[in-house]
Every structure is written in C-alpha cells, then in structure tokens.
Amino acid sequence: MQKMLDENYYKLLHELQAVDFVLVELNLYLDTHPGDANAIQQFNQYSQLRHQIAHKYESQYGPLKNFGQSYSGTPFNWIDAPWPWQV
C-alpha cells in the first residue's frame, strides 16, 4: 500500500537532486583540477549539506538506500513504497 506523501517529501527530494547535481559537477571538475582548494571546500560543504538533507529525509520518510547504506526503522521500512526513484 502506498502512503500519502506531503509537500515536504517532494521538497526534500528536490533538494537532494540539486545537491547531488552540484556534487557530480564538482567531482568531475576536481578530477582534472585536484589542487583547487576552493573547489574542494565547496565539495566538502555540499557533501555535508547532502548528509544533513538525507538525514532529515530518512528520519521522516525512511531509508534512501538499502544493503546497509541507510538505517531502517522498525518494522523494516525499506519495503515501504514509493521509493524515491518512483516519484
């Protein structure tokens, strides 16, 4: 059974997608500019921001990843639909 999702669910997913995009771009840049201290600082700031958003999401809506990469509530809530990539 699919649960009802509030507006905050979609807001947090959108924030995660935006931060993930920035992290991918910074990672690609750092592949060719590994000594750029400013880019490394930005990468670390966005990594921390991503961790905070993901923690907030998971505490409200359940795990983002499986196989031990995210904690589960009780009962095991990985099976709760929809999964983030289904919305």
Side-chain angles (χ1 to χ4, degrees):
M1 183 170 131
Q2 190 165 328
K3 29 180 174 173
M4 296 298 294
L5 302 171
D6 60 18
E7 201 172 306
N8 190 53
Y9 176 88
Y10 296 102
K11 179 183 176 284
L12 289 172
L13 277 182
H14 181 15
E15 288 176 9
L16 278 172
Q17 290 171 338
V19 169
D20 283 346
F21 177 81
V22 170
L23 286 168
V24 167
E25 292 299 310
L26 283 168
N27 193 93
L28 291 171
Y29 175 80
L30 286 166
D31 283 346
T32 59
H33 300 81
D36 188 332
N38 186 43
I40 294 168
Q41 180 184 13
Q42 289 177 19
F43 181 86
N44 290 333
Q45 287 174 337
Y46 277 95
S47 294
Q48 184 177 30
L49 178 60
R50 192 203 187 284
H51 177 75
Q52 292 168 354
I53 296 168
H55 177 73
K56 187 174 182 179
Y57 173 95
E58 290 182 330
S59 68
Q60 295 177 25
Y61 302 105
L64 283 165
K65 302 180 237 174
N66 63 353
F67 302 117
Q69 295 177 356
S70 291
Y71 292 105
S72 176
T74 303
F76 186 64
N77 56 349
W78 176 251
I79 61 172
D80 293 345
W83 289 304
W85 58 86
Q86 291 179 311
V87 293

